[in-house]
Amino acid sequence: MWLVEWLARRAPRRYLEGMSGRFSDVDVVVVGAGAAGLAAARELSRAKISHVVLEARGRAGGRGWTLDVGGFPLDMGCGWLHSAKANPFVDVADENGVELDRSAAPWQKPSWTGNFPLAEQEAYRAEWERFYERLEAGARDEADRPASDFLTPGHPANPMLDAGSTFINGVELAGLSTIDYDRYVDTGVNWRAPIGFGALIAKLGAGSPVEYNCPVSLIDHSAARLRVETPRGSIHCRAVIVTASTNLIATEALRFSPRLPEKTAAADKLPLGLADKLFMQVERADDLPLEGRVYGARDNTAMASYHTRPFGRPLIECYFGGAFARELENAGEPAFADFAVSQLAAAFGTDMRGRLKPLAASRWARDPFALGSYSHARVGCAEARATLAAPVEDRIFFAGEACSRHDFSTAHGAFRTGVAAARAAMGAIT
């Protein structure tokens, strides 16, 4: 089985072990041990505020997940430290002695794809720049519009631009808010951790009180103290930091009592798009471009992007996004590999079919504790991020990439909102 989440559930660390299923009351409960929750917990630990992190999975990291298969650390979720020189995870890496790879990302190289002529690559880059210039100008309008409005009608680069949006945003341009997308800040510097970004994120949890395999179902704020319900019982606290995905809040998989309709509405306006990965091991890796990028097609949004030999390893990292990724998820695990093998054989020759071995694939829409990859704002809904992030009664605080105005869809955006939520919670209870 490629999607082996159960591997990450082996021997989970327990906090409050031996308490017969009963929790001790704390000052702050943090819901979720992803980048936001662990960053919040670290702030609380430093301030010596009593707290516990309740994590539904048997591992830390949330949508940052490094899976070891055959000795290869595979990032099934986020893999790049974007805006790296300003990214707080660089400090986390330094503090933990984790090496970072600071070489240029494949898509930033002069010849960024290995399977069509340089002149066509340059034409695509030029159209991308013109598209974004039009979008940036359109974002200044009072009325929000779909990002697809700024495509040049009939331009041959449009399918690739749309596919690029599915990899970057998890959704096609027609479903993307122009105003929200334009607010995203990117310095253009992208680094990686050879041990895996998910493994780096998990290091935030070292020493933090985390209870794994403990999903939160209800936050009751009807009394003087908050009550947080889990399958192992309830815990009472003075403040809660919620880092659950917007899809869980919107569908009320995580409930509030009394209900918080403004939060569920805001979360619904910020759905998680879908970006999935497949890793394959390849024989005779030297036949492939070193640290290259290959696009499966130029005339169809339903395609994949392929990162050949990441870190020089004999691997191909395959990216799928948007509605096409959802279609493949629905078709079952083998569908990712079947499609990728066909496209790679077309790019590198039919003998490639016998040289590829699927290692692992993600299916984030089917992850019950995420139901998607990262957030985007629906058209007309850019202000929902501020609504989602706003505290309730000065004791329920929200964090996560969807709460970030400028760093949404990133682990560093989640980190920063977690720190902010922790500081707000401490200010409220001290």
Side-chain angles (χ1 to χ4, degrees):
M1 181 182 295
W2 305 338
L3 184 58
V4 282
E5 173 81 23
W6 62 271
L7 284 172
R9 293 182 180 270
R10 292 181 302 176
R13 182 165 56 87
R14 293 281 191 263
Y15 177 68
L16 308 176
E17 183 103 45
M19 296 192 68
S20 303
R22 299 190 62 183
F23 293 106
S24 294
D25 291 350
V26 294
D27 284 328
V28 182
V29 168
V30 180
V31 180
L38 294 179
R42 189 170 74 159
E43 288 293 303
L44 296 168
S45 293
R46 288 175 171 176
K48 302 189 185 308
I49 301 294
S50 66
H51 66 286
V52 64
V53 183
L54 304 181
E55 168 55 45
R57 299 181 178 87
R59 60 171 180 84
R63 285 167 273 159
W65 175 30
T66 302
L67 182 64
D68 190 297
V69 179
F72 298 116
L74 309 178
D75 270 325
M76 308 309 297
C78 53
W80 291 89
L81 282 73
H82 299 301
S83 297
K85 291 183 179 180
N87 192 311
F89 278 104
V90 174
D91 290 337
V92 175
D94 290 343
E95 292 164 7
N96 288 276
V98 174
E99 173 193 4
L100 294 178
D101 183 298
R102 305 182 185 217
S103 57
W107 65 87
Q108 294 178 306
K109 296 177 181 178
S111 179
W112 54 273
T113 181
N115 64 325
F116 62 94
L118 182 59
E120 292 188 32
Q121 296 179 47
E122 292 172 346
Y124 170 83
R125 283 189 192 274
E127 180 58 19
W128 164 255
E129 291 172 1
R130 288 191 293 266
F131 163 74
Y132 195 79
E133 287 172 0
R134 294 189 295 266
L135 185 145
E136 189 176 35
R140 294 193 288 268
D141 296 341
E142 290 186 9
D144 197 7
R145 298 165 65 183
S148 56
D149 280 7
F150 301 97
L151 293 170
T152 301
H155 196 285
N158 287 354
M160 288 185 64
L161 289 169
D162 209 20
S165 177
T166 70
F167 307 142
I168 296 168
N169 305 297
V171 68
E172 292 74 14
L173 292 169
L176 190 66
S177 159
T178 290
I179 290 174
D180 185 62
Y181 184 44
D182 184 64
R183 287 175 179 168
Y184 179 77
V185 174
D186 183 9
T187 69
V189 180
N190 303 279
W191 297 342
R192 290 173 293 169
I195 69 165
F197 197 1
L200 176 60
I201 293 171
K203 289 185 179 296
L204 274 177
S208 294
V210 183
E211 182 79 359
Y212 291 103
N213 296 319
C214 192
V216 171
S217 57
L218 174 71
I219 297 172
D220 185 340
H221 58 110
S222 62
R225 289 182 71 84
L226 299 164
R227 180 172 58 86
V228 180
E229 285 191 4
T230 81
R232 297 191 216 152
S234 298
I235 181 170
H236 292 83
C237 58
R238 299 169 64 192
V240 173
I241 297 174
V242 178
T243 72
S245 84
T246 55
N247 285 8
L248 295 183
I249 296 172
T251 59
E252 297 190 271
L254 170 60
R255 296 180 296 117
F256 298 90
S257 180
R259 294 181 69 249
L260 298 177
E262 72 282 5
K263 294 298 182 184
T264 55
D268 184 65
K269 294 173 182 177
L270 301 167
L272 297 194
L274 187 57
D276 280 322
K277 292 183 183 180
L278 163 71
F279 284 88
M280 291 191 289
Q281 189 170 357
V282 59
E283 295 178 2
R284 304 202 318 265
D286 289 345
D287 293 348
L288 296 176
L290 181 61
E291 287 283 346
R293 180 61 66 101
V294 172
Y295 271 68
R298 282 168 273 174
D299 58 355
N300 193 334
T301 301
M303 66 171 178
S305 169
Y306 305 93
H307 181 182
T308 59
R309 300 180 65 189
F311 300 109
R313 296 164 181 161
L315 302 172
I316 301 177
E317 185 176 13
C318 315
Y319 295 83
F320 308 82
F324 182 54
R326 198 172 302 275
E327 177 185 325
L328 291 176
E329 284 200 15
N330 291 338
E333 287 181 353
F336 286 101
D338 291 346
F339 182 84
V341 167
S342 294
Q343 287 206 321
L344 290 166
F348 295 110
T350 56
D351 70 325
M352 181 63 71
R353 290 182 178 275
R355 295 166 49 198
L356 295 169
K357 174 186 175 182
L359 296 180
S362 66
R363 293 198 293 173
W364 286 107
R366 290 175 177 264
D367 182 321
F369 306 124
L371 303 179
S373 300
Y374 33 70
S375 69
H376 65 277
R378 300 186 194 274
V379 178
C381 300
E383 303 311 317
R385 296 196 187 277
T387 303
L388 181 65
V392 174
E393 301 167 355
D394 213 23
R395 58 183 186 152
I396 305 176
F397 301 88
F398 292 81
E401 54 85 13
C403 294
S404 176
R405 180 181 175 91
H406 299 295
D407 300 317
F408 50 86
S409 79
T410 69
H412 66 270
F415 181 106
R416 288 174 177 151
T417 63
V419 170
R423 291 175 179 173
M426 288 188 288
I429 66 176
T430 58

